[in-house]
Amino acid sequence: MTWMLGAMLAAVIIIAAWYRKWSIERQMKLTDPEQVCRQLSEEVVQILDIRDPSDYNERHIPNAVNIYIGRLPYVSKKELRQEEDIIIVSPSKSKVRRAMRILNKSGFRTSGSIVWKESNSLPCKERQAS
């Protein structure tokens, strides 16, 4: 009898984890880099770059806020504005999911994300580190 309860509890935990991942996946929109450029010129949107600071310093979108994923829960409310949509720049989809979970829990809206693995492929007006 106890093994049945354990199996049921394990099934509930697995289903809850799957649902959590599925709900974030449903919200996650990979944005075309050219669309990001258009959004930046047409509306008020924040760019959150969660890449490593050394990658950010090498090249980044102008006015992007760099908050490494590990610091995001602690400084997001200080450096980001809740009234504006956020586009996340990340080196991987898994980090985008993690950042979206953190931001959604804190009351932020995410309107898209971009996965960039190579800093030399950044769109818009690229900026060299000074």
Side-chain angles (χ1 to χ4, degrees):
M1 188 69 158
T2 57
W3 67 270
M4 283 182 76
L5 288 174
M8 288 173 54
L9 180 61
V12 167
I13 291 171
I14 289 169
I15 290 170
W18 175 82
Y19 177 76
R20 182 177 171 195
K21 182 179 177 184
W22 175 78
S23 66
I24 290 293
E25 287 284 338
R26 197 174 48 129
Q27 293 175 5
M28 190 168 83
K29 294 181 276 184
L30 288 178
T31 306
D32 180 73
E34 278 67 37
Q35 183 178 345
V36 171
C37 296
R38 283 191 301 274
Q39 271 185 288
L40 285 171
S41 65
E42 296 171 2
E43 57 187 90
V44 179
V45 65
Q46 298 175 92
I47 303 292
L48 171 62
D49 195 326
I50 60 172
R51 295 177 303 147
D52 185 78
S54 62
D55 292 334
Y56 175 85
N57 288 334
E58 187 179 316
R59 282 198 180 140
H60 59 272
I61 295 174
N63 301 322
V65 176
N66 180 235
I67 304 174
Y68 190 64
I69 190 80
R71 293 181 53 236
L72 191 56
Y74 309 105
V75 299
S76 60
K77 289 188 177 180
K78 293 177 187 171
E79 297 188 34
L80 299 172
R81 296 172 302 281
Q82 285 189 325
E83 63 276 0
E84 296 175 10
D85 285 343
I86 298 171
I87 295 177
I88 301 169
V89 176
S90 171
S92 72
K93 284 185 181 179
S94 62
K95 287 188 178 185
V96 169
R97 280 192 294 271
R98 186 172 163 203
M100 285 182 70
R101 266 196 303 272
I102 292 167
L103 292 170
N104 289 342
K105 280 183 183 179
S106 299
F108 291 96
R109 295 185 318 258
T110 54
S111 65
S113 58
I114 306 171
V115 176
W116 281 325
K117 296 186 181 197
E118 297 178 21
S119 61
N120 63 356
S121 66
L122 294 173
C124 305
K125 196 175 187 179
E126 298 181 36
R127 179 179 161 211
Q128 294 281 348
S130 48

